[in-house]
Amino acid sequence: MRNRVNWGSIFVFYCFCLLVKVDASSRHQLPHDPCDLSIQRRPELLRPDQMTVLINGYSESRIPLLLSIATSYSASPVVAAVLVLWGNLHTPPRLLSELSRNLSAASLGAAQISLVPQSSSSLNARFLPRPLTIETRAVLICDDDVEVDAKSLEFAFRVWGSNPDRIVGMFGRSHDMDLARKEWIYTVHPDRYSIVLTKFMLLKTQYLFSYSCGRGARMRRVVDEMGNCEDILMNFLVADEINTGPILVGAERVRDYGDARNDGGSGENRDEVRDAGLSRRGEHRKRRGHCIREFHKVLGRMPLRYSYGKMVNSVGEQGLCNKGGKLVFCDQFLGRR
Ligand SMILES: *[C@@H]1O[C@H](CO)[C@@H](O)[C@H](O)[C@H]1NC(C)=O
């Protein structure tokens, strides 16, 4: 009796499977589910010798600057492709197609620049995996108002190449504990950092999948509610995975034209243009502090780790770090907590 096959329940199970299958296929008809495992590329098959640059574009008034920045990235030998992620849903289609034409024309003879209109203005979309487009092991996430010289871009890529699990950036910020209020805050320390901004964030392509398709849904919702903090969340997730902080590299020449949406506070870069009033900056820090507390609450721990010093491109290939104005070998203290 016990071994008798129950055809009735098998039939019901079969119908259930059909239903699930139909539902799953109709859900993601247009164009594909970016988290679909079957379309992800295996990391070891991705190109290790070049990166894909993902520039966030939003402001129509900054299009000339965006064009110039995209063009200079596309001319670099370490860049395979440049994607301009356009997040402004109100831009007229006519302007977008003009921009798209101009970008293609600007990339003649260099890495291809493509315009990718985003389907939502969510900041989380910066980190969507794009397995059909991205062919490199590394991606550079950056803004449309930060210009980095070609040599420093190559240097940053070399530093990433020897530290492929870590986030490499040029703008550092910190979390800290406010001892009086006993709460986590967002701040800037002169000698250490635990967060790298998306003004220039170089990291392995796999982290896009971890960010967008992993267990961080509640934290991604915080990013949407705040309209901010996607960079902080990426730093949280990577530090949580590798238990180490990011790496800062110095640039010979950085021009930061300032961005109200991403204003990180006082700049440590010589040419950083700053016009933000103190009160607005304070408000910005408070919001970022709120994100840190929310992410901490969801995770139940503080994964952010401090790093010290900055890798600078100097004599030969030697990695030297500038610590408090003194040059020392980076291995002596990079990654120490
Ligand atoms: C495209 O390029 C033309 C010619 O340089 C310029 O006049 C126009 O403003 C550009 N438009 C956009 C949207 O980039």
Side-chain angles (χ1 to χ4, degrees), residues 82-126:
V82 178
L83 304 185
V84 173
L85 309 178
W86 193 261
N88 187 344
L89 305 182
H90 303 296
T91 305
R94 196 188 40 76
L95 185 60
L96 277 185
S97 56
E98 198 181 306
L99 174 59
S100 175
R101 263 201 313 280
N102 286 1
L103 286 170
S104 317
S107 57
L108 276 183
Q112 169 140 29
I113 311 175
S114 324
L115 183 67
V116 182
Q118 301 278 57
S119 50
S120 88
S121 57
S122 166
L123 288 168
N124 289 317
R126 301 187 82 165

Side-chain angles (χ1 to χ4, degrees), residues 39-303:
I39 58 170
Q40 307 301 320
R41 300 188 196 220
R42 289 185 22 215
E44 62 274 23
L45 299 181
L46 295 171
R47 291 188 67 147
D49 58 332
Q50 286 184 319
M51 64 178 119
T52 303
V53 179
L54 307 178
I55 308 179
N56 226 36
Y58 188 89
S59 158
E60 288 157 19
S61 64
R62 270 208 303 264
I63 283 181
L65 183 58
L66 168 69
L67 267 164
S68 133
I69 290 172
T71 308
S72 79
Y73 277 128
S74 88
S76 168
V78 293
V79 170
V82 178
L83 304 185
V84 173
L85 309 178
W86 193 261
N88 187 344
L89 305 182
H90 303 296
T91 305
R94 196 188 40 76
L95 185 60
L96 277 185
S97 56
E98 198 181 306
L99 174 59
S100 175
R101 263 201 313 280
N102 286 1
L103 286 170
S104 317
S107 57
L108 276 183
Q112 169 140 29
I113 311 175
S114 324
L115 183 67
V116 182
Q118 301 278 57
S119 50
S120 88
S121 57
S122 166
L123 288 168
N124 289 317
R126 301 187 82 165
F127 293 133
L128 277 182
R130 300 172 190 277
L132 305 182
T133 326
I134 298 177
E135 299 178 342
T136 56
R137 220 171 270 186
V139 287
L140 170 64
I141 311 290
C142 56
D143 285 344
D144 59 351
D145 57 357
V146 173
E147 238 177 333
V148 172
D149 67 281
K151 276 232 188 74
S152 303
L153 177 68
E154 287 176 43
F155 175 65
F157 186 59
R158 278 207 304 280
V159 170
W160 175 81
S162 4
N163 303 273
D165 291 333
R166 297 175 69 178
I167 300 181
V168 172
M170 291 194 179
F171 304 85
R173 299 291 184 265
S174 281
H175 71 296
D176 207 346
M177 173 60 80
D178 181 331
L179 289 175
R181 310 174 120 217
K182 294 204 171 48
E183 63 176 25
W184 295 107
I185 53 164
Y186 177 76
T187 186
V188 184
H189 286 303
D191 63 335
R192 62 199 158 120
Y193 52 92
S194 53
I195 295 165
V196 148
L197 303 185
T198 34
K199 286 167 182 289
F200 185 102
M201 176 190 273
L202 185 51
L203 72 178
K204 65 175 170 188
T205 306
Q206 277 162 280
Y207 287 146
L208 302 180
F209 186 85
S210 322
Y211 181 101
S212 308
C213 314
R215 64 211 148 75
R218 263 180 72 195
M219 293 182 281
R220 292 195 296 275
R221 240 186 346 262
V222 172
V223 169
D224 279 332
E225 283 158 15
M226 303 294 290
N228 199 328
C229 307
E230 81 284 10
D231 46 358
I232 298 181
L233 179 52
M234 181 58 98
N235 282 276
F236 257 77
L237 296 175
V238 172
D240 195 39
E241 190 169 324
I242 66 173
N243 198 24
T244 310
I247 298 178
L248 267 196
V249 294
E252 275 167 35
R253 197 175 54 82
V254 184
R255 300 192 77 91
D256 179 356
Y257 296 87
D259 179 345
R261 285 168 300 136
N262 206 5
D263 177 18
S266 75
E268 63 280 320
N269 288 282
R270 273 169 288 159
D271 299 333
E272 224 169 355
V273 181
R274 284 280 156 243
D275 57 355
L278 276 176
S279 61
R280 211 191 75 204
R281 190 174 293 166
E283 193 49 42
H284 177 78
R285 275 195 200 178
K286 262 189 228 152
R287 294 169 63 81
R288 307 264 288 173
H290 177 77
C291 292
I292 291 179
R293 292 189 287 279
E294 288 298 304
F295 298 155
H296 172 257
K297 210 185 299 169
V298 174
L299 275 181
R301 58 185 173 275
M302 173 47 73

